[in-house]
Amino acid sequence: MTRPTPTLVYAREPIPASGPSVFLAGPTPRAGGDIASWRPAAIEELAARWTGEQPLTVLTPESRGGVRAKHYDDQVGWETAARAAADAILFWIPRDLETLPGFTTNVEFGLDVTTGRVVLGCPPNCPNPERNRYLIYVARRHGVPVRETLDDTVAAALTLVMRKAPRP
């Protein structure tokens, strides 16, 4: 049996109204920098692990082809709508205060932690793991799965997607 290939939806593209979906939340490397995004590895792992009958939609706040939003509100509005539409919100926070500080991610996590659709991944070997302690505390307090590897975080997110009733 051939697995359906995930559908990738990039920032500011139309968000599908139906089908299983995961939003990839976490710090985004700055345009023109030399830091690689963690999202391609997450997308690859999601594709390898997805066993659902319908294609999985992966919503990423990164821009297709690196084309940035002309207006900040357009980006933030899309991300807010995409997180609200997702069946699971995968937070991966390889905290590095120099290159991937994730300050906006902290706020998004606080907004979404009580939705029942969040998984938190915080690698213990990132440059500033101590800066994730509070998020881990809050996650555990709200029953959010906490994982230490990207693979395990992906698996936990897909568990949430599979438990959700199919959207029409």
Side-chain angles (χ1 to χ4, degrees), residues 21-27 38-39 41-43 45-46 49 56 58-61 83 86-94 105 108-109 112 117-122 144-145 147 149-158 160-161:
S21 60
V22 175
F23 182 88
L24 299 180
W38 56 270
R39 288 185 177 92
I43 292 165
E45 189 65 21
L46 285 162
R49 289 180 179 260
L56 178 68
V58 179
L59 304 161
T60 176
R83 290 190 344 268
D87 295 322
I89 306 168
L90 183 159
F91 281 88
W92 179 248
I93 308 175
T105 299
E108 292 169 340
F109 181 79
D112 296 332
R117 298 179 292 118
V118 170
V119 172
L120 177 63
C122 296
V144 168
R147 302 294 183 263
T149 68
L150 184 57
D151 291 356
D152 289 346
T153 307
V154 164
L158 290 178
L160 288 179
V161 172

mmCIF file of all heavy atoms in Angstrom, residues 21-27 38-39 41-43 45-46 49 56 58-61 83 86-94 105 108-109 112 117-122 144-145 147 149-158 160-161:
data_model
loop_
_atom_site.group_PDB
_atom_site.id
_atom_site.type_symbol
_atom_site.label_atom_id
_atom_site.label_comp_id
_atom_site.label_asym_id
_atom_site.label_seq_id
_atom_site.Cartn_x
_atom_site.Cartn_y
_atom_site.Cartn_z
ATOM 1 N N SER A 21 -4.188 17.423 9.812
ATOM 2 C CA SER A 21 -3.154 18.443 9.639
ATOM 3 C C SER A 21 -2.315 18.643 10.896
ATOM 4 O O SER A 21 -2.781 18.413 12.011
ATOM 5 C CB SER A 21 -3.787 19.783 9.244
ATOM 6 O OG SER A 21 -4.671 20.210 10.249
ATOM 7 N N VAL A 22 -1.074 19.074 10.658
ATOM 8 C CA VAL A 22 -0.120 19.400 11.723
ATOM 9 C C VAL A 22 0.492 20.757 11.403
ATOM 10 O O VAL A 22 0.917 20.998 10.270
ATOM 11 C CB VAL A 22 1.014 18.348 11.818
ATOM 12 C CG1 VAL A 22 2.060 18.771 12.839
ATOM 13 C CG2 VAL A 22 0.464 16.981 12.151
ATOM 14 N N PHE A 23 0.537 21.642 12.400
ATOM 15 C CA PHE A 23 1.234 22.923 12.276
ATOM 16 C C PHE A 23 2.606 22.780 12.922
ATOM 17 O O PHE A 23 2.723 22.271 14.042
ATOM 18 C CB PHE A 23 0.449 24.043 12.962
ATOM 19 C CG PHE A 23 1.108 25.393 12.812
ATOM 20 C CD1 PHE A 23 0.847 26.192 11.720
ATOM 21 C CD2 PHE A 23 1.999 25.858 13.770
ATOM 22 C CE1 PHE A 23 1.465 27.434 11.568
ATOM 23 C CE2 PHE A 23 2.623 27.093 13.636
ATOM 24 C CZ PHE A 23 2.353 27.881 12.524
ATOM 25 N N LEU A 24 3.648 23.256 12.246
ATOM 26 C CA LEU A 24 5.013 23.176 12.759
ATOM 27 C C LEU A 24 5.400 24.491 13.426
ATOM 28 O O LEU A 24 5.862 25.433 12.775
ATOM 29 C CB LEU A 24 5.987 22.851 11.620
ATOM 30 C CG LEU A 24 5.746 21.524 10.902
ATOM 31 C CD1 LEU A 24 6.769 21.331 9.792
ATOM 32 C CD2 LEU A 24 5.775 20.354 11.883
ATOM 33 N N ALA A 25 5.218 24.553 14.736
ATOM 34 C CA ALA A 25 5.503 25.756 15.514
ATOM 35 C C ALA A 25 6.894 25.666 16.122
ATOM 36 O O ALA A 25 7.332 24.594 16.528
ATOM 37 C CB ALA A 25 4.461 25.927 16.618
ATOM 38 N N GLY A 26 7.546 26.799 16.171
ATOM 39 C CA GLY A 26 8.880 26.849 16.765
ATOM 40 C C GLY A 26 9.676 27.937 16.101
ATOM 41 O O GLY A 26 9.220 28.566 15.143
ATOM 42 N N PRO A 27 10.881 28.181 16.586
ATOM 43 C CA PRO A 27 11.679 29.267 16.032
ATOM 44 C C PRO A 27 12.036 29.031 14.564
ATOM 45 O O PRO A 27 12.286 27.906 14.146
ATOM 46 C CB PRO A 27 12.927 29.301 16.914
ATOM 47 C CG PRO A 27 12.938 28.030 17.672
ATOM 48 C CD PRO A 27 11.557 27.486 17.679
ATOM 49 N N TRP A 38 14.866 23.528 10.972
ATOM 50 C CA TRP A 38 14.591 22.194 11.478
ATOM 51 C C TRP A 38 13.372 21.581 10.788
ATOM 52 O O TRP A 38 13.153 20.375 10.859
ATOM 53 C CB TRP A 38 14.356 22.245 12.992
ATOM 54 C CG TRP A 38 13.252 23.184 13.402
ATOM 55 C CD1 TRP A 38 13.370 24.511 13.710
ATOM 56 C CD2 TRP A 38 11.863 22.880 13.509
ATOM 57 N NE1 TRP A 38 12.140 25.046 14.009
ATOM 58 C CE2 TRP A 38 11.188 24.061 13.892
ATOM 59 C CE3 TRP A 38 11.116 21.715 13.323
ATOM 60 C CZ2 TRP A 38 9.818 24.119 14.097
ATOM 61 C CZ3 TRP A 38 9.737 21.765 13.520
ATOM 62 C CH2 TRP A 38 9.115 22.961 13.903
ATOM 63 N N ARG A 39 12.568 22.420 10.110
ATOM 64 C CA ARG A 39 11.302 21.945 9.554
ATOM 65 C C ARG A 39 11.437 20.888 8.453
ATOM 66 O O ARG A 39 10.614 19.977 8.410
ATOM 67 C CB ARG A 39 10.452 23.130 9.117
ATOM 68 C CG ARG A 39 9.912 23.887 10.327
ATOM 69 C CD ARG A 39 8.956 25.006 9.943
ATOM 70 N NE ARG A 39 8.434 25.639 11.135
ATOM 71 C CZ ARG A 39 8.978 26.705 11.718
ATOM 72 N NH1 ARG A 39 10.064 27.264 11.187
ATOM 73 N NH2 ARG A 39 8.445 27.213 12.806
ATOM 74 N N ALA A 41 13.442 18.393 8.275
ATOM 75 C CA ALA A 41 13.586 17.104 8.967
ATOM 76 C C ALA A 41 12.259 16.673 9.581
ATOM 77 O O ALA A 41 11.908 15.488 9.558
ATOM 78 C CB ALA A 41 14.675 17.193 10.036
ATOM 79 N N ALA A 42 11.506 17.622 10.120
ATOM 80 C CA ALA A 42 10.193 17.295 10.694
ATOM 81 C C ALA A 42 9.243 16.820 9.601
ATOM 82 O O ALA A 42 8.499 15.845 9.789
ATOM 83 C CB ALA A 42 9.621 18.511 11.421
ATOM 84 N N ILE A 43 9.252 17.487 8.469
ATOM 85 C CA ILE A 43 8.378 17.106 7.351
ATOM 86 C C ILE A 43 8.748 15.709 6.858
ATOM 87 O O ILE A 43 7.865 14.877 6.598
ATOM 88 C CB ILE A 43 8.458 18.160 6.224
ATOM 89 C CG1 ILE A 43 7.837 19.469 6.707
ATOM 90 C CG2 ILE A 43 7.778 17.657 4.951
ATOM 91 C CD1 ILE A 43 8.168 20.682 5.844
ATOM 92 N N GLU A 45 10.120 13.306 8.572
ATOM 93 C CA GLU A 45 9.701 12.339 9.590
ATOM 94 C C GLU A 45 8.181 12.170 9.588
ATOM 95 O O GLU A 45 7.671 11.054 9.741
ATOM 96 C CB GLU A 45 10.207 12.770 10.968
ATOM 97 C CG GLU A 45 10.017 11.736 12.043
ATOM 98 C CD GLU A 45 10.820 10.457 11.829
ATOM 99 O OE1 GLU A 45 11.825 10.472 11.092
ATOM 100 O OE2 GLU A 45 10.442 9.424 12.415
ATOM 101 N N LEU A 46 7.443 13.256 9.411
ATOM 102 C CA LEU A 46 5.986 13.157 9.312
ATOM 103 C C LEU A 46 5.587 12.282 8.125
ATOM 104 O O LEU A 46 4.696 11.426 8.237
ATOM 105 C CB LEU A 46 5.362 14.548 9.176
ATOM 106 C CG LEU A 46 5.320 15.389 10.453
ATOM 107 C CD1 LEU A 46 5.105 16.862 10.120
ATOM 108 C CD2 LEU A 46 4.255 14.869 11.402
ATOM 109 N N ARG A 49 6.265 8.565 8.872
ATOM 110 C CA ARG A 49 5.443 7.948 9.921
ATOM 111 C C ARG A 49 3.944 7.974 9.651
ATOM 112 O O ARG A 49 3.194 7.264 10.312
ATOM 113 C CB ARG A 49 5.700 8.645 11.258
ATOM 114 C CG ARG A 49 7.052 8.344 11.841
ATOM 115 C CD ARG A 49 7.212 9.082 13.161
ATOM 116 N NE ARG A 49 8.468 8.822 13.785
ATOM 117 C CZ ARG A 49 8.644 7.945 14.785
ATOM 118 N NH1 ARG A 49 7.634 7.263 15.244
ATOM 119 N NH2 ARG A 49 9.838 7.777 15.301
ATOM 120 N N LEU A 56 -1.826 13.815 4.753
ATOM 121 C CA LEU A 56 -1.604 14.710 5.883
ATOM 122 C C LEU A 56 -1.219 16.077 5.339
ATOM 123 O O LEU A 56 -0.375 16.175 4.449
ATOM 124 C CB LEU A 56 -0.473 14.175 6.762
ATOM 125 C CG LEU A 56 -0.079 15.027 7.966
ATOM 126 C CD1 LEU A 56 -1.196 15.034 9.003
ATOM 127 C CD2 LEU A 56 1.218 14.501 8.566
ATOM 128 N N VAL A 58 0.686 19.467 6.136
ATOM 129 C CA VAL A 58 1.678 20.050 7.032
ATOM 130 C C VAL A 58 1.678 21.550 6.787
ATOM 131 O O VAL A 58 1.937 22.011 5.679
ATOM 132 C CB VAL A 58 3.076 19.454 6.796
ATOM 133 C CG1 VAL A 58 4.091 20.103 7.728
ATOM 134 C CG2 VAL A 58 3.056 17.935 6.991
ATOM 135 N N LEU A 59 1.348 22.293 7.818
ATOM 136 C CA LEU A 59 1.278 23.753 7.756
ATOM 137 C C LEU A 59 2.575 24.317 8.339
ATOM 138 O O LEU A 59 2.907 24.055 9.491
ATOM 139 C CB LEU A 59 0.085 24.248 8.571
ATOM 140 C CG LEU A 59 -1.277 23.664 8.164
ATOM 141 C CD1 LEU A 59 -2.299 23.823 9.277
ATOM 142 C CD2 LEU A 59 -1.754 24.315 6.885
ATOM 143 N N THR A 60 3.307 25.054 7.521
ATOM 144 C CA THR A 60 4.575 25.607 7.975
ATOM 145 C C THR A 60 4.565 27.129 7.868
ATOM 146 O O THR A 60 4.148 27.666 6.842
ATOM 147 C CB THR A 60 5.778 25.028 7.194
ATOM 148 O OG1 THR A 60 6.966 25.690 7.630
ATOM 149 C CG2 THR A 60 5.631 25.157 5.695
ATOM 150 N N PRO A 61 5.016 27.816 8.907
ATOM 151 C CA PRO A 61 5.050 29.275 8.862
ATOM 152 C C PRO A 61 6.188 29.835 8.026
ATOM 153 O O PRO A 61 6.310 31.047 7.885
ATOM 154 C CB PRO A 61 5.194 29.669 10.328
ATOM 155 C CG PRO A 61 5.923 28.524 10.939
ATOM 156 C CD PRO A 61 5.426 27.298 10.211
ATOM 157 N N ARG A 83 -2.670 27.680 13.061
ATOM 158 C CA ARG A 83 -2.629 26.972 14.344
ATOM 159 C C ARG A 83 -4.032 26.599 14.797
ATOM 160 O O ARG A 83 -4.262 25.501 15.298
ATOM 161 C CB ARG A 83 -1.913 27.809 15.417
ATOM 162 C CG ARG A 83 -0.422 27.932 15.177
ATOM 163 C CD ARG A 83 0.384 28.536 16.328
ATOM 164 N NE ARG A 83 -0.345 29.241 17.339
ATOM 165 C CZ ARG A 83 -0.586 30.565 17.334
ATOM 166 N NH1 ARG A 83 -0.151 31.311 16.329
ATOM 167 N NH2 ARG A 83 -1.243 31.116 18.326
ATOM 168 N N ALA A 86 -5.280 23.529 12.709
ATOM 169 C CA ALA A 86 -4.520 22.277 12.774
ATOM 170 C C ALA A 86 -5.096 21.297 13.785
ATOM 171 O O ALA A 86 -5.567 21.688 14.846
ATOM 172 C CB ALA A 86 -3.067 22.587 13.120
ATOM 173 N N ASP A 87 -5.007 20.020 13.449
ATOM 174 C CA ASP A 87 -5.408 18.959 14.378
ATOM 175 C C ASP A 87 -4.370 18.770 15.474
ATOM 176 O O ASP A 87 -4.686 18.334 16.570
ATOM 177 C CB ASP A 87 -5.597 17.638 13.631
ATOM 178 C CG ASP A 87 -6.749 17.699 12.653
ATOM 179 O OD1 ASP A 87 -7.786 18.320 12.974
ATOM 180 O OD2 ASP A 87 -6.623 17.127 11.553
ATOM 181 N N ALA A 88 -3.115 19.071 15.148
ATOM 182 C CA ALA A 88 -2.031 19.007 16.127
ATOM 183 C C ALA A 88 -1.087 20.171 15.868
ATOM 184 O O ALA A 88 -0.853 20.546 14.716
ATOM 185 C CB ALA A 88 -1.272 17.684 16.026
ATOM 186 N N ILE A 89 -0.565 20.731 16.953
ATOM 187 C CA ILE A 89 0.414 21.803 16.864
ATOM 188 C C ILE A 89 1.697 21.264 17.475
ATOM 189 O O ILE A 89 1.765 21.015 18.678
ATOM 190 C CB ILE A 89 -0.059 23.078 17.601
ATOM 191 C CG1 ILE A 89 -1.443 23.502 17.108
ATOM 192 C CG2 ILE A 89 0.960 24.206 17.405
ATOM 193 C CD1 ILE A 89 -2.114 24.556 17.974
ATOM 194 N N LEU A 90 2.677 21.049 16.611
ATOM 195 C CA LEU A 90 3.950 20.483 17.022
ATOM 196 C C LEU A 90 4.903 21.636 17.318
ATOM 197 O O LEU A 90 5.308 22.354 16.407
ATOM 198 C CB LEU A 90 4.482 19.599 15.895
ATOM 199 C CG LEU A 90 5.784 18.836 16.115
ATOM 200 C CD1 LEU A 90 5.855 17.671 15.137
ATOM 201 C CD2 LEU A 90 7.014 19.696 15.994
ATOM 202 N N PHE A 91 5.234 21.800 18.581
ATOM 203 C CA PHE A 91 6.224 22.804 18.986
ATOM 204 C C PHE A 91 7.568 22.113 19.123
ATOM 205 O O PHE A 91 7.716 21.194 19.937
ATOM 206 C CB PHE A 91 5.843 23.446 20.329
ATOM 207 C CG PHE A 91 4.790 24.499 20.234
ATOM 208 C CD1 PHE A 91 3.449 24.162 20.313
ATOM 209 C CD2 PHE A 91 5.134 25.836 20.065
ATOM 210 C CE1 PHE A 91 2.465 25.136 20.221
ATOM 211 C CE2 PHE A 91 4.161 26.817 19.978
ATOM 212 C CZ PHE A 91 2.820 26.470 20.057
ATOM 213 N N TRP A 92 8.540 22.544 18.329
ATOM 214 C CA TRP A 92 9.913 22.054 18.440
ATOM 215 C C TRP A 92 10.772 23.272 18.735
ATOM 216 O O TRP A 92 10.815 24.217 17.953
ATOM 217 C CB TRP A 92 10.362 21.368 17.157
ATOM 218 C CG TRP A 92 11.775 20.867 17.232
ATOM 219 C CD1 TRP A 92 12.839 21.339 16.522
ATOM 220 C CD2 TRP A 92 12.285 19.823 18.064
ATOM 221 N NE1 TRP A 92 13.978 20.644 16.855
ATOM 222 C CE2 TRP A 92 13.666 19.705 17.818
ATOM 223 C CE3 TRP A 92 11.712 18.983 19.016
ATOM 224 C CZ2 TRP A 92 14.478 18.783 18.454
ATOM 225 C CZ3 TRP A 92 12.524 18.060 19.666
ATOM 226 C CH2 TRP A 92 13.886 17.959 19.375
ATOM 227 N N ILE A 93 11.443 23.241 19.893
ATOM 228 C CA ILE A 93 12.157 24.426 20.346
ATOM 229 C C ILE A 93 13.613 24.080 20.678
ATOM 230 O O ILE A 93 13.962 23.826 21.832
ATOM 231 C CB ILE A 93 11.438 25.068 21.556
ATOM 232 C CG1 ILE A 93 9.962 25.284 21.214
ATOM 233 C CG2 ILE A 93 12.115 26.389 21.936
ATOM 234 C CD1 ILE A 93 9.111 25.791 22.347
ATOM 235 N N PRO A 94 14.472 24.075 19.644
ATOM 236 C CA PRO A 94 15.902 23.861 19.869
ATOM 237 C C PRO A 94 16.546 25.196 20.280
ATOM 238 O O PRO A 94 17.288 25.820 19.525
ATOM 239 C CB PRO A 94 16.402 23.375 18.500
ATOM 240 C CG PRO A 94 15.482 24.052 17.525
ATOM 241 C CD PRO A 94 14.148 24.167 18.226
ATOM 242 N N THR A 105 7.549 32.166 19.715
ATOM 243 C CA THR A 105 7.128 30.793 19.986
ATOM 244 C C THR A 105 6.625 30.655 21.416
ATOM 245 O O THR A 105 5.645 29.960 21.674
ATOM 246 C CB THR A 105 8.295 29.820 19.724
ATOM 247 O OG1 THR A 105 8.672 29.919 18.351
ATOM 248 C CG2 THR A 105 7.908 28.394 20.045
ATOM 249 N N GLU A 108 3.082 31.949 21.485
ATOM 250 C CA GLU A 108 2.180 31.029 20.787
ATOM 251 C C GLU A 108 1.909 29.788 21.637
ATOM 252 O O GLU A 108 0.767 29.326 21.720
ATOM 253 C CB GLU A 108 2.771 30.619 19.431
ATOM 254 C CG GLU A 108 2.818 31.764 18.449
ATOM 255 C CD GLU A 108 3.621 31.468 17.206
ATOM 256 O OE1 GLU A 108 4.461 30.535 17.210
ATOM 257 O OE2 GLU A 108 3.423 32.186 16.211
ATOM 258 N N PHE A 109 2.942 29.259 22.267
ATOM 259 C CA PHE A 109 2.764 28.103 23.137
ATOM 260 C C PHE A 109 1.792 28.431 24.259
ATOM 261 O O PHE A 109 0.877 27.652 24.551
ATOM 262 C CB PHE A 109 4.104 27.632 23.711
ATOM 263 C CG PHE A 109 3.968 26.431 24.590
ATOM 264 C CD1 PHE A 109 3.841 25.165 24.042
ATOM 265 C CD2 PHE A 109 3.939 26.560 25.970
ATOM 266 C CE1 PHE A 109 3.681 24.048 24.849
ATOM 267 C CE2 PHE A 109 3.793 25.461 26.789
ATOM 268 C CZ PHE A 109 3.663 24.195 26.228
ATOM 269 N N ASP A 112 -1.739 28.384 23.021
ATOM 270 C CA ASP A 112 -2.250 27.096 22.537
ATOM 271 C C ASP A 112 -2.193 25.960 23.539
ATOM 272 O O ASP A 112 -2.808 24.909 23.320
ATOM 273 C CB ASP A 112 -1.469 26.676 21.285
ATOM 274 C CG ASP A 112 -1.666 27.632 20.123
ATOM 275 O OD1 ASP A 112 -2.723 28.277 20.046
ATOM 276 O OD2 ASP A 112 -0.744 27.735 19.286
ATOM 277 N N ARG A 117 -4.341 20.129 21.659
ATOM 278 C CA ARG A 117 -3.791 19.790 20.339
ATOM 279 C C ARG A 117 -2.294 20.051 20.261
ATOM 280 O O ARG A 117 -1.731 20.094 19.178
ATOM 281 C CB ARG A 117 -4.511 20.606 19.249
ATOM 282 C CG ARG A 117 -5.994 20.317 19.166
ATOM 283 C CD ARG A 117 -6.704 21.159 18.101
ATOM 284 N NE ARG A 117 -6.717 22.567 18.482
ATOM 285 C CZ ARG A 117 -6.125 23.550 17.784
ATOM 286 N NH1 ARG A 117 -5.490 23.301 16.671
ATOM 287 N NH2 ARG A 117 -6.182 24.794 18.202
ATOM 288 N N VAL A 118 -1.628 20.191 21.402
ATOM 289 C CA VAL A 118 -0.224 20.599 21.435
ATOM 290 C C VAL A 118 0.684 19.466 21.889
ATOM 291 O O VAL A 118 0.335 18.698 22.785
ATOM 292 C CB VAL A 118 -0.055 21.820 22.378
ATOM 293 C CG1 VAL A 118 1.403 22.132 22.641
ATOM 294 C CG2 VAL A 118 -0.759 23.027 21.796
ATOM 295 N N VAL A 119 1.852 19.408 21.256
ATOM 296 C CA VAL A 119 2.960 18.552 21.670
ATOM 297 C C VAL A 119 4.172 19.471 21.772
ATOM 298 O O VAL A 119 4.384 20.330 20.911
ATOM 299 C CB VAL A 119 3.229 17.449 20.617
ATOM 300 C CG1 VAL A 119 4.485 16.688 20.944
ATOM 301 C CG2 VAL A 119 2.048 16.516 20.523
ATOM 302 N N LEU A 120 4.970 19.287 22.818
ATOM 303 C CA LEU A 120 6.155 20.120 23.027
ATOM 304 C C LEU A 120 7.415 19.277 22.921
ATOM 305 O O LEU A 120 7.558 18.277 23.620
ATOM 306 C CB LEU A 120 6.105 20.787 24.406
ATOM 307 C CG LEU A 120 7.315 21.631 24.799
ATOM 308 C CD1 LEU A 120 7.499 22.818 23.860
ATOM 309 C CD2 LEU A 120 7.186 22.092 26.249
ATOM 310 N N GLY A 121 8.308 19.692 22.031
ATOM 311 C CA GLY A 121 9.604 19.046 21.905
ATOM 312 C C GLY A 121 10.712 20.013 22.261
ATOM 313 O O GLY A 121 10.789 21.101 21.697
ATOM 314 N N CYS A 122 11.545 19.619 23.233
ATOM 315 C CA CYS A 122 12.659 20.460 23.686
ATOM 316 C C CYS A 122 13.895 19.581 23.825
ATOM 317 O O CYS A 122 13.999 18.805 24.772
ATOM 318 C CB CYS A 122 12.333 21.091 25.036
ATOM 319 S SG CYS A 122 10.946 22.230 25.035
ATOM 320 N N VAL A 144 0.230 18.206 28.443
ATOM 321 C CA VAL A 144 0.771 18.233 27.082
ATOM 322 C C VAL A 144 1.959 17.273 27.011
ATOM 323 O O VAL A 144 2.840 17.320 27.872
ATOM 324 C CB VAL A 144 1.222 19.669 26.718
ATOM 325 C CG1 VAL A 144 2.049 19.691 25.450
ATOM 326 C CG2 VAL A 144 0.011 20.575 26.594
ATOM 327 N N PRO A 145 1.995 16.403 25.996
ATOM 328 C CA PRO A 145 3.159 15.523 25.854
ATOM 329 C C PRO A 145 4.432 16.336 25.658
ATOM 330 O O PRO A 145 4.447 17.298 24.887
ATOM 331 C CB PRO A 145 2.849 14.718 24.586
ATOM 332 C CG PRO A 145 1.369 14.823 24.393
ATOM 333 C CD PRO A 145 0.983 16.154 24.971
ATOM 334 N N ARG A 147 8.511 15.869 24.710
ATOM 335 C CA ARG A 147 9.477 14.942 24.133
ATOM 336 C C ARG A 147 10.834 15.625 23.981
ATOM 337 O O ARG A 147 10.913 16.843 23.953
ATOM 338 C CB ARG A 147 9.001 14.435 22.770
ATOM 339 C CG ARG A 147 7.648 13.728 22.810
ATOM 340 C CD ARG A 147 7.733 12.427 23.603
ATOM 341 N NE ARG A 147 6.481 11.694 23.591
ATOM 342 C CZ ARG A 147 5.550 11.731 24.546
ATOM 343 N NH1 ARG A 147 5.746 12.510 25.613
ATOM 344 N NH2 ARG A 147 4.451 11.013 24.460
ATOM 345 N N THR A 149 13.288 14.429 21.492
ATOM 346 C CA THR A 149 13.829 14.292 20.135
ATOM 347 C C THR A 149 12.760 14.723 19.137
ATOM 348 O O THR A 149 11.556 14.636 19.415
ATOM 349 C CB THR A 149 14.256 12.853 19.815
ATOM 350 O OG1 THR A 149 13.097 12.025 19.746
ATOM 351 C CG2 THR A 149 15.249 12.315 20.839
ATOM 352 N N LEU A 150 13.206 15.147 17.976
ATOM 353 C CA LEU A 150 12.262 15.542 16.939
ATOM 354 C C LEU A 150 11.416 14.346 16.498
ATOM 355 O O LEU A 150 10.201 14.467 16.325
ATOM 356 C CB LEU A 150 13.003 16.163 15.753
ATOM 357 C CG LEU A 150 12.116 16.712 14.637
ATOM 358 C CD1 LEU A 150 11.132 17.771 15.145
ATOM 359 C CD2 LEU A 150 12.980 17.287 13.519
ATOM 360 N N ASP A 151 12.037 13.173 16.355
ATOM 361 C CA ASP A 151 11.296 11.978 15.950
ATOM 362 C C ASP A 151 10.180 11.650 16.946
ATOM 363 O O ASP A 151 9.050 11.346 16.545
ATOM 364 C CB ASP A 151 12.231 10.777 15.813
ATOM 365 C CG ASP A 151 13.194 10.898 14.644
ATOM 366 O OD1 ASP A 151 13.112 11.871 13.869
ATOM 367 O OD2 ASP A 151 14.038 10.001 14.494
ATOM 368 N N ASP A 152 10.487 11.712 18.236
ATOM 369 C CA ASP A 152 9.478 11.416 19.257
ATOM 370 C C ASP A 152 8.391 12.488 19.298
ATOM 371 O O ASP A 152 7.231 12.197 19.578
ATOM 372 C CB ASP A 152 10.121 11.272 20.638
ATOM 373 C CG ASP A 152 10.939 9.998 20.776
ATOM 374 O OD1 ASP A 152 10.813 9.089 19.922
ATOM 375 O OD2 ASP A 152 11.729 9.911 21.740
ATOM 376 N N THR A 153 8.763 13.727 19.035
ATOM 377 C CA THR A 153 7.788 14.818 19.006
ATOM 378 C C THR A 153 6.837 14.631 17.829
ATOM 379 O O THR A 153 5.622 14.799 17.971
ATOM 380 C CB THR A 153 8.504 16.179 18.936
ATOM 381 O OG1 THR A 153 9.459 16.256 20.000
ATOM 382 C CG2 THR A 153 7.526 17.337 19.069
ATOM 383 N N VAL A 154 7.375 14.249 16.677
ATOM 384 C CA VAL A 154 6.548 13.957 15.508
ATOM 385 C C VAL A 154 5.579 12.810 15.819
ATOM 386 O O VAL A 154 4.384 12.895 15.522
ATOM 387 C CB VAL A 154 7.423 13.620 14.277
ATOM 388 C CG1 VAL A 154 6.620 12.940 13.181
ATOM 389 C CG2 VAL A 154 8.092 14.885 13.745
ATOM 390 N N ALA A 155 6.087 11.749 16.420
ATOM 391 C CA ALA A 155 5.235 10.604 16.751
ATOM 392 C C ALA A 155 4.095 11.011 17.681
ATOM 393 O O ALA A 155 2.944 10.600 17.485
ATOM 394 C CB ALA A 155 6.073 9.490 17.383
ATOM 395 N N ALA A 156 4.391 11.829 18.675
ATOM 396 C CA ALA A 156 3.350 12.280 19.606
ATOM 397 C C ALA A 156 2.323 13.155 18.901
ATOM 398 O O ALA A 156 1.120 13.068 19.172
ATOM 399 C CB ALA A 156 3.988 13.029 20.779
ATOM 400 N N ALA A 157 2.770 14.006 17.972
ATOM 401 C CA ALA A 157 1.838 14.851 17.220
ATOM 402 C C ALA A 157 0.922 13.989 16.355
ATOM 403 O O ALA A 157 -0.295 14.232 16.280
ATOM 404 C CB ALA A 157 2.601 15.857 16.360
ATOM 405 N N LEU A 158 1.475 12.978 15.710
ATOM 406 C CA LEU A 158 0.651 12.112 14.865
ATOM 407 C C LEU A 158 -0.340 11.297 15.693
ATOM 408 O O LEU A 158 -1.442 11.005 15.224
ATOM 409 C CB LEU A 158 1.529 11.209 14.006
ATOM 410 C CG LEU A 158 2.289 11.940 12.899
ATOM 411 C CD1 LEU A 158 3.178 10.970 12.127
ATOM 412 C CD2 LEU A 158 1.340 12.670 11.960
ATOM 413 N N LEU A 160 -1.904 12.486 18.268
ATOM 414 C CA LEU A 160 -3.007 13.433 18.440
ATOM 415 C C LEU A 160 -3.867 13.516 17.171
ATOM 416 O O LEU A 160 -5.099 13.545 17.250
ATOM 417 C CB LEU A 160 -2.484 14.830 18.774
ATOM 418 C CG LEU A 160 -1.904 15.058 20.149
ATOM 419 C CD1 LEU A 160 -1.404 16.499 20.276
ATOM 420 C CD2 LEU A 160 -2.919 14.742 21.234
ATOM 421 N N VAL A 161 -3.229 13.560 16.020
ATOM 422 C CA VAL A 161 -3.970 13.649 14.746
ATOM 423 C C VAL A 161 -4.841 12.414 14.572
ATOM 424 O O VAL A 161 -6.019 12.513 14.198
ATOM 425 C CB VAL A 161 -3.006 13.808 13.554
ATOM 426 C CG1 VAL A 161 -3.768 13.698 12.236
ATOM 427 C CG2 VAL A 161 -2.282 15.141 13.626
#
